């Protein structure tokens, strides 16, 4: 009987010891998890976002770009499905004159053929000369809502083709010669208060428009009259209204919401 | 005589405990994102039953105006959630652990008995095994939910490039609703899970950390003679009374535990 008791006690001792080791490791892991959390929360911010998270967001964009294909078309709807009351969400950048007698589109395009600080200045009528393209698609906001809406304008690619823009050489852009294309396009409102940067691959996508019509009528002012970007491959934050200036570059242009912690591409 | 017997393999425990904080971050950051367009509610006709979520919830959890932060966390921790889940699934497949976890024909009947038992309706004892029918159903369902969370997540994260997935889930807005409902499901699962763990007792909880459980003499009898009827076991218990006294009260409690 006595011997059995000792055995029992030995067993209890063994259980305690084994538990202690396991729970020691367990609490160590909890500490590591808390440590990682504190490290993220206490890290510096890079463009409005904790640096470790920013690093992952940038990596996600590389993964995303790997899957990108210009043949991926956004699902389109018949124009009757487009909303009559189209939601307008952001008004940053709407100060400044949008009167088309004064409004001009400025395109900065220095290249060997146009040396120096070359600026192309166009009026709305110039844009209207480019073949019109219509598109009804589900517009998606980064906030989480979406709405089917109907737009008309010209393809951005047709626009840069007509004016030989977006290339290092100054020649017409060629989708089969991506080396010659600038990597990014920057768009800015006339007052400079709102600005976006977008990768060229998405800009020359066949569904990317410089839009001047909504529901077959002139754009209303709260939708970016006279000219706005419609880029179904991106969240609404990239669909800049009231376009004033377009630039080309090989480095990421500044971007309003990127500076406020969002990922750069905002790609869908 | 007490015995230490292995219960949960290392990988199962590891993935379980990694998943806990990761899923917590996913749910929290998901709430930061959801706040920006918080349109879901339950209503009967015109009568609003519940709005997801009432303002005090947002205020107390401080979720307002943190969309970009929510997205950054969500799209960082999604990798851990997916990799950990994938690792768990592959492990259960290749180790054969799936045999304990997948429900079989008997599971549903057994789950019903477990439910009656847990609601104090039935006094029938629970089956003595690693995972009972109710657990098999719950732990398999939660994995399927996880898979659908990933799929519906992809459907709303990249609805153009992964449009087939978006289409299969009924479109962009449908996928967002699925993603949301699954999250509510995790919260409910968590609440029940915690209650069950508390009821099941220390030996059961400890096994999820250490990997082993302690089986006393009483249990041994039950394991050795699973075919025996209960009255017979009761007799045995009376016979070995001296031994029972040496076993700590918590172990006796474990004899009746639900083993969650």
């Amino acid at each position: 009987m006595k011997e059995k008791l000792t055995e029992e006690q030995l067993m209890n001792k063994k259980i305690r010891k084994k538990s202690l080791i396991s729970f020691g490791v367990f609490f160590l892991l909890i500490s590591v998890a808390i440590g990682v959390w504190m490290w993220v929360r206490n890290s510096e911010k890079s463009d409005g976002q904790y640096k470790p998270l920013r690093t992952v967001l940038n990596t996600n964009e590389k993964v995303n770009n790997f899957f990108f294909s210009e043949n991926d078309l956004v699902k389109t709807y018949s124009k009757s499905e487009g909303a009559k009351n189209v939601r307008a969400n952001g008004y940053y950048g709407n100060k400044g004159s949008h009167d088309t007698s004064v409004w001009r589109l400025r395109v900065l395009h220095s290249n060997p053929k146009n040396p120096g600080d070359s600026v192309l200045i166009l009026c709305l009528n110039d844009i209207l000369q480019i073949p019109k393209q219509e598109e009804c698609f589900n517009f998606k906001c980064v906030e989480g809502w979406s709405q089917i809406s109907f737009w008309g304008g010209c393809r951005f690619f047709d626009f840069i083709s007509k004016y030989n823009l977006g290339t290092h050489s100054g020649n017409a852009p060629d989708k089969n010669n991506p080396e010659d294309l600038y990597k990014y396009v920057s768009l800015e409102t006339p007052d400079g208060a709102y600005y976006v940067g977008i990768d060229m691959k998405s800009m020359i996508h066949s569904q990317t428009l410089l839009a001047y019509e909504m529901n077959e009528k002139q754009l209303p002012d709260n939708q970016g009259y006279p000219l706005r970007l419609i880029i179904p491959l991106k969240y609404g934050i990239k669909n800049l209204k009231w376009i004033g200036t377009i630039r080309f570059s090989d480095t990421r242009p500044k971007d309003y919401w990127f500076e406020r912690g969002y990922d750069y591409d905002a790609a869908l | 005589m007490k015995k230490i017997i292995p219960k949960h393999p290392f990988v199962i425990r590891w993935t379980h405990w990694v998943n806990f904080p990761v899923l917590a971050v996913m749910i929290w950051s998901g709430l930061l994102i959801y706040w920006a367009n918080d349109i879901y509610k339950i209503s009967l006709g015109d009568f609003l039953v519940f709005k997801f979520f009432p303002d005090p919830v947002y205020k107390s959890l401080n979720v307002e105006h943190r969309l970009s932060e929510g997205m950054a966390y969500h799209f960082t921790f999604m990798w851990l959630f997916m990799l950990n889940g994938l690792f768990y699934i592959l492990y259960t497949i290749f180790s054969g652990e799936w045999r304990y976890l997948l429900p079989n024909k008997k599971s549903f009947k057994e789950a019903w008995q477990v439910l009656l038992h847990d609601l104090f309706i039935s006094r029938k004892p629970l089956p003595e095994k690693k995972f009972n029918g109710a657990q098999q159903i719950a732990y398999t369902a939660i994995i399927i939910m996880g898979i659908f969370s990933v799929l519906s997540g992809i459907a709303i994260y990249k609805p153009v490039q992964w449009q087939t997935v978006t289409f299969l889930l009924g479109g962009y807005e449908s996928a967002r609703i699925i993603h949301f409902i699954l999250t509510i499901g995790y919260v409910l699962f968590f609440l029940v899970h915690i209650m069950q763990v508390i009821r099941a007792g220390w030996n059961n909880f400890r096994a999820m950390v250490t990997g082993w459980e302690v089986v006393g003499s009483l249990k041994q009898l039950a394991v050795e003679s699973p075919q025996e009827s209960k009255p017979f076991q009761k007799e045995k218990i009376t016979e070995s009374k001296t031994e029972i006294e040496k076993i700590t009260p918590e172990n006796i409690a474990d004899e009746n535990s639900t083993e969650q």
Side-chain angles (χ1 to χ4, degrees), chain A residues 4 7-11, chain B residues 1-3 215-218 220 243 247:
Chain A
K4 203 177 178 194
E7 220 178 301
E8 191 79 38
Q9 282 173 334
L10 275 172
M11 195 59 179
Chain B
M1 186 58 210
K2 280 189 201 173
K3 246 181 164 176
V215 176
S217 53
L218 298 181
Q220 241 178 307
E243 222 170 329
I247 299 168

Coordinates of all heavy atoms in Angstrom, one line a residue, chain A residues 4 7-11, chain B residues 1-3 215-218 220 243 247:
Chain A
K4 N 2.5 1.8 -3.3 CA 1.6 2.3 -4.3 C 1.4 3.8 -4.2 O 1.4 4.6 -5.1 CB 0.3 1.6 -4.2 CG -0.5 1.6 -5.5 CD -1.7 0.9 -5.4 CE -2.4 1.0 -6.8 NZ -3.8 0.6 -6.7
E7 N 4.2 5.6 -5.6 CA 4.1 5.6 -7.1 C 3.1 6.7 -7.5 O 3.4 7.4 -8.5 CB 3.6 4.2 -7.5 CG 4.2 3.7 -8.7 CD 3.7 2.3 -9.0 OE1 3.9 1.4 -8.2 OE2 3.1 2.2 -10.1
E8 N 2.0 6.8 -6.8 CA 1.0 7.8 -7.1 C 1.6 9.2 -7.0 O 1.4 10.0 -7.8 CB -0.2 7.6 -6.1 CG -1.4 8.4 -6.4 CD -2.2 7.7 -7.5 OE1 -2.3 6.5 -7.5 OE2 -2.7 8.5 -8.4
Q9 N 2.4 9.4 -5.9 CA 3.0 10.7 -5.7 C 4.0 11.0 -6.8 O 4.1 12.1 -7.3 CB 3.7 10.8 -4.4 CG 2.7 10.9 -3.2 CD 3.3 10.8 -1.9 OE1 4.4 10.1 -1.7 NE2 2.8 11.5 -0.9
L10 N 4.7 10.0 -7.2 CA 5.7 10.2 -8.2 C 5.0 10.6 -9.5 O 5.5 11.4 -10.3 CB 6.5 8.9 -8.5 CG 7.7 8.6 -7.6 CD1 8.2 7.2 -7.8 CD2 8.8 9.6 -7.8
M11 N 3.9 9.9 -9.7 CA 3.1 10.2 -10.9 C 2.7 11.7 -10.9 O 2.8 12.4 -11.9 CB 1.9 9.3 -11.0 CG 1.3 9.2 -12.3 SD 2.4 8.7 -13.6 CE 1.4 8.7 -15.0
Chain B
M1 N -4.6 3.4 -10.9 CA -3.3 4.1 -11.2 C -3.5 5.1 -12.3 O -4.0 4.8 -13.3 CB -2.2 3.0 -11.6 CG -0.8 3.6 -11.7 SD -0.3 4.3 -10.2 CE 0.8 5.6 -10.9
K2 N -3.0 6.3 -12.1 CA -3.0 7.4 -13.1 C -2.1 7.1 -14.2 O -1.0 6.5 -14.0 CB -2.7 8.7 -12.5 CG -3.7 9.4 -11.7 CD -3.3 10.8 -11.4 CE -4.0 11.3 -10.2 NZ -3.4 12.6 -9.8
K3 N -2.5 7.5 -15.4 CA -1.7 7.3 -16.6 C -1.6 8.6 -17.4 O -2.6 9.3 -17.5 CB -2.3 6.2 -17.4 CG -1.5 4.9 -17.5 CD -2.2 4.0 -18.3 CE -1.4 2.8 -18.8 NZ -2.3 1.9 -19.6
V215 N -5.2 9.9 -17.3 CA -6.3 9.0 -17.2 C -6.2 8.3 -15.9 O -5.1 7.7 -15.6 CB -6.3 8.0 -18.4 CG1 -7.4 7.0 -18.2 CG2 -6.5 8.7 -19.7
G216 N -7.2 8.3 -15.0 CA -7.1 7.7 -13.7 C -7.6 6.3 -13.9 O -8.0 5.8 -14.9
S217 N -7.7 5.6 -12.7 CA -8.1 4.2 -12.7 C -9.5 4.0 -13.2 O -9.9 3.0 -13.9 CB -7.9 3.6 -11.3 OG -8.6 4.4 -10.4
L218 N -10.4 5.0 -12.8 CA -11.8 4.9 -13.2 C -11.9 4.8 -14.7 O -12.6 4.0 -15.3 CB -12.6 6.0 -12.6 CG -12.6 6.1 -11.1 CD1 -13.4 7.3 -10.7 CD2 -13.2 4.9 -10.5
Q220 N -9.7 4.1 -16.8 CA -9.1 2.9 -17.4 C -10.1 1.8 -17.5 O -10.2 1.1 -18.5 CB -7.9 2.5 -16.4 CG -6.6 2.5 -17.1 CD -5.5 2.1 -16.1 OE1 -5.4 2.7 -15.1 NE2 -4.8 1.1 -16.5
E243 N -9.1 3.8 -3.8 CA -8.3 4.4 -4.9 C -8.9 5.8 -5.3 O -8.1 6.7 -5.5 CB -8.3 3.5 -6.1 CG -6.9 3.4 -6.7 CD -6.8 2.3 -7.7 OE1 -7.5 1.3 -7.6 OE2 -6.0 2.5 -8.6
I247 N -7.3 9.9 -5.8 CA -7.4 10.7 -7.0 C -8.0 12.1 -6.6 O -8.9 12.2 -5.8 CB -8.2 10.0 -8.0 CG1 -7.6 8.7 -8.4 CG2 -8.4 10.9 -9.3 CD1 -8.5 7.8 -9.2

